[in-house]
Amino acid sequence: MLNSHHPSQRHRRYLYNVLFMLTFSTIGDVYAKAPENLTLESAAQLTLSRHPQLQVFQWRSQALAGQRISADQSASYEVGLEAENVLGTGEYSGIDAVELTLALSSFIELGDKRLARTTVVDTSFAYVEAQKKAAALDLLGEVTQTFITTLSLQEKQQLAENAITLAQATYQQVNQRVRQGAASQADALRAKAALANARLNAAELASNYNSSKVILASYWGVNQPTFNSLSGDLFAFNAVEPFDTLYQRIETTPAIEVYTNEQRVREAQWQLARSQSSSDIRWQIGVKRFEVSGDNALTLGFSMPLFAEQRNSGNVQAANAAINQAGAQKDAALLALRVRLFKAYSTRQQQFEAVAHLREEIIPILSESLIHTQKAYEKGAYRYADWVSAQQELLDARLALIEAATSVLLNQALIEQLTAQALQQR
């Protein structure tokens, strides 16, 4: 029997609609330990609060805050002291004829350089935030995929236990027929081997299930899972809108927002590069002391580099190329996402139809066939091989049902990840 809980609709709506309103740093204390029956929502919250990949962004934001302070600084001032006519010869020997100049200097920034610097940092804040959202969404996609895979193994374990029960009952019945002289000892040996094989298959599935649980728990930094089982419905399918409608959502997803914000950063860097084409005016004011006469005089000075625009043209060209490169990367990302979305959409539709055929047609037919085959075997009309074949066909169909349902959910989760929106419940 498959799990009868139906939490997955609420979980996915939570993940993709409320994800970016969460404060990652405040979740960890509330969800410090996974519950015994792990839900997708709990796995997602634990991952968001404790995965180191998301903790990196707070340090990147702090670094940008420091850069913002530095970028917003006005022109610095310098104090200088200059001595002339020192330690010469004749009347300039010693320091009797020294001329001392104490000066204060700075420069006047032209071309709105200060605004350009702060704009680069401000747009970088949005860029980092978009990267954080995209990383969180990708991470949640991985957790969801792992959760579904583990849930699938859990269902396969239950099917394997059913197969053991069926093999045990078959072995007992064959032995009874052997004692009655209605079946050969070879049939009993084959039934015993089938029982051993069923147990071996169940042990392998148990090992894979435990390994998958360890992988799932590693997303929140736990070496050994503290939960015993997963709570979810492998057949909780959501409705899927037409492909063109889904594709329109991609342009507003965090994955594309990263490229959009990167373009804004590149544009801000281009403006900063352009501002460097305007030469700054350096000024100096000071007082000069003539030791020979004992007089003082005011000194003034101004300077400006020449041909700044020409010398800076290469930097402007490089910054403009970076803008175009970011735009091309965005177009390439949209194309790649469209391919992934179409593949997930098509596979999901095909597997959804397979689930319907297996549940509504194939499995009921094979179940009825098994009943008739068993009755015929008990009457001696069918061979042991016919009965076992009917059993295996039904078990294979149930296994195919689990795998098809798993494929539907995996591709459904991928569609939600690519569009950053939950699909509507049927």
Side-chain angles (χ1 to χ4, degrees):
M1 294 294 291
L2 295 173
N3 200 324
S4 59
H5 298 292
H6 297 269
S8 56
Q9 318 292 345
R10 176 170 59 85
H11 293 170
R12 282 192 291 270
R13 188 170 297 109
Y14 168 83
L15 292 179
Y16 297 101
N17 290 349
V18 189
L19 165 63
F20 306 123
M21 297 174 62
L22 293 174
T23 303
F24 299 144
S25 60
T26 62
I27 304 179
D29 295 336
V30 180
Y31 299 95
K33 185 179 179 180
E36 290 189 3
N37 296 320
L38 184 70
T39 64
L40 179 57
E41 180 179 355
S42 297
Q45 291 171 329
L46 285 164
T47 301
L48 288 176
S49 64
R50 302 178 66 174
H51 199 285
Q53 181 179 346
L54 299 180
Q55 308 304 323
V56 171
F57 291 99
Q58 64 176 326
W59 306 117
R60 292 181 62 183
S61 296
Q62 288 187 19
L64 285 174
Q67 293 177 23
R68 180 64 165 76
I69 295 174
S70 298
D72 198 32
Q73 296 293 320
S74 58
S76 61
Y77 292 89
E78 297 180 9
V79 174
L81 178 64
E82 181 180 353
E84 298 179 58
N85 301 335
V86 179
L87 303 177
T89 59
E91 61 181 18
Y92 295 105
S93 61
I95 59 173
D96 294 337
V98 68
E99 296 179 6
L100 296 175
T101 302
L102 179 64
L104 177 68
S105 63
S106 183
F107 58 92
I108 301 173
E109 286 188 319
L110 300 180
D112 291 329
K113 292 184 178 66
R114 183 177 178 181
L115 176 61
R117 289 195 303 270
T118 56
T119 302
V120 169
V121 180
D122 291 340
T123 54
S124 297
F125 274 112
Y127 181 41
V128 169
E129 184 65 23
Q131 287 179 315
K132 181 174 72 172
K133 291 179 180 180
L137 191 60
D138 288 343
L139 196 56
L140 283 180
E142 293 180 20
V143 172
T144 303
Q145 300 268 335
T146 306
F147 185 93
I148 293 171
T149 300
T150 310
L151 182 63
S152 176
L153 288 170
Q154 183 173 280
E155 301 296 349
K156 289 178 181 178
Q157 268 195 299
Q158 295 178 8
L159 180 61
E161 293 299 327
N162 292 338
I164 292 176
T165 302
L166 180 60
Q168 286 175 331
T170 301
Y171 177 56
Q172 293 173 359
Q173 189 165 357
V174 171
N175 272 336
Q176 182 179 354
R177 288 181 58 78
V178 169
R179 289 192 297 268
Q180 294 172 352
S184 66
Q185 186 64 34
D187 288 346
L189 293 174
R190 293 168 67 187
K192 185 177 181 180
L195 176 58
N197 188 61
R199 288 171 176 165
L200 181 61
N201 182 57
E204 181 181 359
L205 283 171
S207 177
N208 293 338
Y209 175 63
N210 291 330
S211 297
S212 190
K213 287 199 299 182
V214 171
I215 295 173
L216 183 59
S218 68
Y219 281 99
W220 52 89
V222 176
N223 294 328
Q224 290 297 328
T226 58
F227 56 91
N228 295 324
S229 60
L230 303 187
S231 177
D233 184 2
L234 200 61
F235 294 88
F237 303 147
N238 288 348
V240 176
E241 296 176 277
F243 174 78
D244 290 339
T245 302
L246 294 173
Y247 178 66
Q248 290 176 358
R249 298 178 183 173
I250 288 183
E251 294 186 359
T252 59
T253 59
I256 298 303
E257 284 183 6
V258 168
Y259 293 100
T260 301
N261 282 278
E262 183 182 4
Q263 278 187 294
R264 292 171 182 160
V265 172
R266 302 306 180 200
E267 290 170 357
Q269 291 174 340
W270 176 70
Q271 290 290 352
L272 177 60
R274 286 191 61 191
S275 70
Q276 301 301 320
S277 297
S278 299
S279 298
D280 297 331
I281 299 176
R282 176 166 290 278
W283 57 268
Q284 177 178 301
I285 184 171
V287 176
K288 190 168 187 176
R289 168 72 176 178
F290 298 92
E291 192 64 27
V292 174
S293 63
D295 295 325
N296 298 317
L298 183 66
T299 63
L300 295 174
F302 295 92
S303 64
M304 174 184 290
L306 299 178
F307 312 114
E309 183 174 0
Q310 181 179 353
R311 296 174 62 86
N312 192 52
S313 60
N315 294 330
V316 175
Q317 181 179 342
N320 186 64
I323 296 175
N324 295 330
Q325 178 181 339
Q329 289 174 332
K330 179 180 178 180
D331 293 339
L334 277 170
L335 182 60
L337 288 176
R338 179 182 176 87
V339 172
R340 291 185 66 193
L341 180 63
F342 182 77
K343 184 177 180 180
Y345 180 85
S346 301
T347 304
R348 189 260 176 206
Q349 294 296 89
Q350 187 274 324
Q351 292 297 308
F352 180 80
E353 293 176 1
V355 169
H357 284 299
L358 286 165
R359 297 181 76 175
E360 299 169 10
E361 299 179 19
I362 298 175
I363 290 179
I365 292 174
L366 291 176
S367 298
E368 185 177 357
S369 173
L370 178 58
I371 294 174
H372 288 296
T373 304
Q374 182 176 352
K375 289 180 179 179
Y377 173 76
E378 292 171 352
K379 295 178 181 179
Y382 279 175
R383 299 172 304 167
Y384 168 77
D386 297 326
W387 184 24
V388 172
S389 177
Q391 291 178 0
Q392 192 60 49
E393 287 176 354
L394 180 58
L395 290 173
D396 289 343
R398 288 177 176 170
L399 180 61
L401 177 62
I402 293 175
E403 291 178 344
T406 302
S407 181
V408 172
L409 283 187
L410 288 174
N411 285 281
Q412 188 168 282
L414 181 56
I415 291 172
E416 292 178 329
Q417 178 186 345
L418 294 177
T419 59
Q421 293 188 30
L423 302 176
Q424 298 300 315
Q425 185 176 358
R426 285 184 178 274

